[in-house]
Coordinates of all heavy atoms in Angstrom, one line a residue:
N1 N 101.7 49.5 73.0 CA 102.8 50.5 73.0 C 103.5 50.5 71.6 O 103.4 51.5 70.9 CB 103.9 50.2 74.0 CG 103.5 50.6 75.4 OD1 102.4 50.3 75.9 ND2 104.4 51.2 76.2
D2 N 104.1 49.4 71.3 CA 104.9 49.3 70.0 C 104.1 48.7 68.8 O 104.6 48.9 67.7 CB 106.1 48.4 70.3 CG 106.9 48.8 71.6 OD1 107.3 49.9 71.6 OD2 106.9 48.0 72.5
I3 N 103.0 48.0 69.1 CA 102.2 47.5 68.0 C 100.8 47.6 68.3 O 100.4 47.5 69.5 CB 102.6 46.0 67.7 CG1 102.5 45.1 69.0 CG2 103.9 45.9 67.0 CD1 102.8 43.7 68.7
D4 N 99.9 47.8 67.3 CA 98.5 47.9 67.5 C 97.8 47.7 66.1 O 98.5 47.4 65.1 CB 98.1 49.2 68.1 CG 98.6 50.4 67.4 OD1 98.8 50.3 66.1 OD2 98.9 51.5 68.0
E5 N 96.6 48.0 66.0 CA 95.8 47.7 64.8 C 96.1 48.7 63.7 O 95.8 48.6 62.5 CB 94.3 47.7 65.0 CG 93.9 46.5 65.8 CD 92.4 46.3 65.9 OE1 91.7 46.8 65.0 OE2 91.9 45.7 66.9
Q6 N 96.8 49.8 64.0 CA 97.3 50.8 63.0 C 98.7 50.5 62.6 O 99.3 51.3 61.9 CB 97.1 52.2 63.6 CG 95.7 52.7 63.6 CD 94.8 52.0 64.6 OE1 95.2 51.9 65.8 NE2 93.7 51.5 64.2
T7 N 99.3 49.4 63.1 CA 100.7 49.1 62.8 C 100.8 47.8 62.0 O 100.2 46.8 62.4 CB 101.5 49.0 64.1 OG1 101.3 50.2 64.9 CG2 103.0 48.8 63.8
S8 N 101.6 47.9 61.0 CA 101.8 46.7 60.1 C 103.1 45.9 60.7 O 104.0 46.5 61.2 CB 102.0 47.1 58.7 OG 102.6 46.0 57.9
P9 N 103.1 44.6 60.5 CA 104.3 43.9 60.8 C 105.6 44.4 60.1 O 106.7 44.3 60.6 CB 104.0 42.4 60.4 CG 102.5 42.4 60.4 CD 102.0 43.7 60.0
V10 N 105.3 45.0 58.9 CA 106.4 45.5 58.1 C 107.0 46.7 58.8 O 108.2 46.9 59.0 CB 106.0 45.9 56.7 CG1 107.1 46.5 55.9 CG2 105.4 44.7 56.0
E11 N 106.2 47.6 59.3 CA 106.6 48.8 60.0 C 107.3 48.4 61.4 O 108.2 49.0 61.8 CB 105.4 49.7 60.3 CG 104.7 50.3 59.1 CD 103.5 51.0 59.4 OE1 102.6 50.5 60.2 OE2 103.2 52.1 58.9
A12 N 106.7 47.4 62.0 CA 107.2 46.9 63.3 C 108.5 46.1 63.2 O 109.1 45.8 64.2 CB 106.1 46.1 64.1
R13 N 108.9 45.8 62.0 CA 110.0 44.9 61.7 C 109.9 43.6 62.4 O 110.9 43.1 63.0 CB 111.3 45.7 62.1 CG 111.6 46.8 61.2 CD 112.9 47.6 61.7 NE 113.4 48.5 60.7 CZ 114.4 49.4 60.8 NH1 114.9 49.5 62.0 NH2 114.8 50.2 59.9
I14 N 108.7 42.9 62.3 CA 108.6 41.6 62.9 C 108.0 40.7 61.8 O 107.2 39.8 62.1 CB 107.6 41.6 64.1 CG1 106.3 42.4 63.9 CG2 108.3 42.2 65.3 CD1 105.3 42.3 65.0
T15 N 108.5 40.9 60.6 CA 108.0 40.0 59.5 C 108.6 38.6 59.6 O 108.2 37.7 58.8 CB 108.4 40.6 58.1 OG1 109.8 40.9 58.1 CG2 107.6 41.8 57.8
F16 N 109.5 38.3 60.6 CA 109.9 37.0 60.8 C 108.8 36.1 61.2 O 108.8 34.9 61.1 CB 111.1 36.9 61.8 CG 110.6 37.4 63.2 CD1 110.0 36.5 64.1 CD2 110.8 38.7 63.6 CE1 109.6 36.9 65.4 CE2 110.4 39.1 64.9 CZ 109.8 38.2 65.8
A17 N 107.7 36.7 61.7 CA 106.5 36.0 62.2 C 105.5 35.9 61.1 O 104.3 35.5 61.3 CB 105.9 36.6 63.4
V18 N 105.8 36.3 59.9 CA 104.9 36.4 58.8 C 105.4 35.5 57.6 O 106.5 35.6 57.2 CB 104.7 37.8 58.2 CG1 103.7 37.8 57.0 CG2 104.2 38.7 59.3
R19 N 104.6 34.5 57.2 CA 105.0 33.6 56.1 C 104.1 33.9 54.9 O 103.1 33.3 54.7 CB 104.8 32.1 56.5 CG 105.8 31.7 57.7 CD 107.2 31.7 57.2 NE 108.1 31.3 58.3 CZ 108.7 32.1 59.1 NH1 108.6 33.4 59.0 NH2 109.5 31.6 60.1
L20 N 104.6 34.8 54.1 CA 103.8 35.3 52.9 C 103.7 34.2 51.9 O 102.8 34.1 51.1 CB 104.5 36.5 52.3 CG 104.4 37.8 53.1 CD1 105.3 38.9 52.5 CD2 102.9 38.3 53.2
N21 N 104.6 33.2 51.9 CA 104.6 32.1 50.9 C 104.0 30.8 51.4 O 104.1 29.8 50.7 CB 106.1 31.9 50.4 CG 107.0 31.4 51.6 OD1 106.6 31.5 52.7 ND2 108.2 31.0 51.2
K22 N 103.4 30.9 52.6 CA 102.8 29.6 53.1 C 101.6 29.2 52.2 O 101.0 30.0 51.5 CB 102.4 29.7 54.5 CG 101.2 30.6 54.9 CD 100.9 30.6 56.4 CE 99.7 31.5 56.7 NZ 99.4 31.3 58.2
K23 N 101.3 28.0 52.2 CA 100.2 27.4 51.4 C 98.9 28.0 51.6 O 98.2 28.4 50.7 CB 100.2 25.9 51.6 CG 99.2 25.2 50.7 CD 99.2 23.7 50.9 CE 98.2 23.0 50.0 NZ 98.1 21.5 50.2
N24 N 98.5 28.2 52.9 CA 97.2 28.7 53.2 C 97.2 30.3 53.1 O 98.1 30.9 53.7 CB 96.8 28.3 54.6 CG 96.5 26.8 54.7 OD1 97.5 26.0 54.5 ND2 95.3 26.4 55.0
D25 N 96.2 30.8 52.5 CA 96.1 32.3 52.5 C 95.7 32.7 53.9 O 95.1 31.9 54.7 CB 95.0 32.7 51.5 CG 95.0 34.2 51.3 OD1 96.0 34.9 51.6 OD2 94.0 34.7 50.8
F26 N 96.0 33.9 54.3 CA 95.6 34.4 55.7 C 95.2 35.8 55.6 O 95.5 36.6 54.7 CB 96.8 34.2 56.7 CG 98.0 35.1 56.3 CD1 98.2 36.4 56.8 CD2 99.0 34.5 55.6 CE1 99.3 37.1 56.5 CE2 100.2 35.2 55.3 CZ 100.3 36.5 55.7
I27 N 94.4 36.2 56.6 CA 93.8 37.6 56.7 C 94.9 38.6 56.9 O 95.8 38.5 57.8 CB 92.8 37.7 57.9 CG1 91.6 36.7 57.6 CG2 92.3 39.1 58.0 CD1 90.7 36.6 58.8
G28 N 95.0 39.6 56.0 CA 96.0 40.6 56.0 C 97.1 40.4 55.0 O 98.0 41.3 54.9
R29 N 97.2 39.2 54.4 CA 98.3 38.9 53.6 C 98.6 39.9 52.4 O 99.7 40.3 52.2 CB 98.1 37.5 53.0 CG 99.2 37.0 52.1 CD 98.9 35.6 51.6 NE 100.1 34.9 51.0 CZ 100.1 33.6 50.7 NH1 99.0 32.9 51.0 NH2 101.1 33.1 50.2
E30 N 97.5 40.2 51.7 CA 97.7 41.1 50.6 C 98.2 42.5 51.0 O 99.1 43.0 50.3 CB 96.3 41.2 49.8 CG 96.4 42.1 48.6 CD 95.1 42.1 47.8 OE1 94.2 41.3 48.1 OE2 94.9 43.0 47.0
S31 N 97.7 43.0 52.1 CA 98.1 44.3 52.6 C 99.5 44.3 53.0 O 100.3 45.3 52.8 CB 97.2 44.8 53.7 OG 95.8 44.9 53.2
I32 N 99.9 43.3 53.7 CA 101.3 43.1 54.2 C 102.3 43.0 53.1 O 103.3 43.7 53.0 CB 101.4 41.9 55.2 CG1 100.6 42.2 56.4 CG2 102.9 41.7 55.6 CD1 100.5 41.0 57.4
Q33 N 101.9 42.2 52.1 CA 102.7 42.0 50.9 C 102.9 43.3 50.2 O 104.0 43.7 49.7 CB 102.1 41.0 50.0 CG 102.9 40.8 48.7 CD 104.1 39.9 48.9 OE1 104.1 38.8 49.3 NE2 105.3 40.5 48.5
K34 N 101.8 44.1 50.0 CA 101.9 45.4 49.3 C 102.8 46.4 50.0 O 103.6 47.0 49.3 CB 100.5 45.9 49.1 CG 100.4 47.2 48.3 CD 99.0 47.7 48.2 CE 99.0 49.1 47.4 NZ 97.6 49.6 47.3
L35 N 102.7 46.5 51.3 CA 103.5 47.4 52.0 C 105.0 47.0 52.0 O 105.9 47.8 51.9 CB 103.0 47.5 53.5 CG 103.7 48.6 54.3 CD1 103.6 50.0 53.7 CD2 103.2 48.6 55.8
K36 N 105.2 45.7 52.1 CA 106.6 45.2 52.0 C 107.2 45.6 50.7 O 108.4 46.0 50.6 CB 106.6 43.7 52.2 CG 108.0 43.1 52.2 CD 108.0 41.6 52.5 CE 109.4 41.1 52.6 NZ 109.5 39.6 52.8
E37 N 106.5 45.5 49.6 CA 107.0 45.8 48.2 C 107.2 47.3 48.1 O 108.2 47.8 47.5 CB 106.0 45.3 47.2 CG 106.0 43.7 47.1 CD 104.9 43.2 46.2 OE1 104.1 44.0 45.7 OE2 104.9 42.0 46.0
E38 N 106.2 48.1 48.6 CA 106.3 49.6 48.4 C 107.3 50.2 49.4 O 107.9 51.3 49.1 CB 104.9 50.2 48.6 CG 103.9 49.8 47.5 CD 102.5 50.3 47.7 OE1 102.3 50.9 48.9 OE2 101.7 50.2 46.8
G39 N 107.4 49.6 50.5 CA 108.3 50.2 51.6 C 107.4 51.1 52.5 O 106.6 51.9 52.1
P40 N 107.6 50.9 53.8 CA 106.9 51.7 54.8 C 107.4 53.1 55.0 O 108.5 53.4 54.7 CB 107.1 50.9 56.1 CG 108.4 50.3 56.0 CD 108.6 50.0 54.5
S41 N 106.5 54.0 55.4 CA 106.9 55.4 55.6 C 107.5 55.6 57.0 O 108.0 56.7 57.3 CB 105.7 56.3 55.4 OG 104.7 56.0 56.4
R42 N 107.4 54.6 57.9 CA 107.9 54.7 59.2 C 108.3 53.2 59.6 O 107.8 52.3 59.1 CB 106.9 55.2 60.2 CG 105.7 54.4 60.3 CD 104.8 54.8 61.5 NE 103.8 53.8 61.8 CZ 103.2 53.6 62.9 NH1 103.5 54.3 64.0 NH2 102.3 52.6 63.1
V43 N 109.3 53.1 60.5 CA 109.8 51.8 61.0 C 110.1 51.9 62.5 O 110.5 52.9 63.0 CB 111.0 51.3 60.2 CG1 110.6 50.9 58.8 CG2 112.1 52.3 60.2
R44 N 110.0 50.7 63.1 CA 110.3 50.7 64.5 C 111.8 50.8 64.6 O 112.6 50.1 64.0 CB 109.8 49.3 65.1 CG 110.2 49.2 66.6 CD 109.4 48.0 67.2 NE 109.8 46.7 66.6 CZ 110.7 45.9 67.1 NH1 111.3 46.2 68.2 NH2 110.9 44.8 66.5
T45 N 112.3 51.6 65.5 CA 113.7 52.0 65.6 C 114.1 51.9 67.1 O 113.5 52.4 68.0 CB 113.9 53.4 65.1 OG1 113.4 53.5 63.8 CG2 115.4 53.8 65.1

């Protein structure tokens, strides 16, 4: 409903579950970081 594979944690406003600065790299990190810096075109409201 509210999240799926076409939805970023940045758009869903659940980046509290994302640790961009953790020691280990993780799948999706670069894309999430980029969207956070650029700003999403839609957000969960």
Side-chain angles (χ1 to χ4, degrees):
N1 283 45
D2 310 297
I3 52 176
D4 54 29
E5 292 189 25
Q6 283 69 53
T7 306
S8 164
V10 179
E11 296 172 317
R13 290 177 166 172
I14 52 175
T15 51
F16 65 87
V18 179
R19 295 292 180 266
L20 290 170
N21 61 348
K22 70 176 179 177
K23 182 178 179 181
N24 294 64
D25 193 17
F26 62 88
I27 297 173
R29 181 180 193 168
E30 184 177 341
S31 298
I32 295 170
Q33 177 74 59
K34 182 179 179 181
L35 185 60
K36 184 176 181 181
E37 293 172 353
E38 295 178 348
S41 61
R42 61 171 195 153
V43 291
R44 181 169 62 97
T45 303

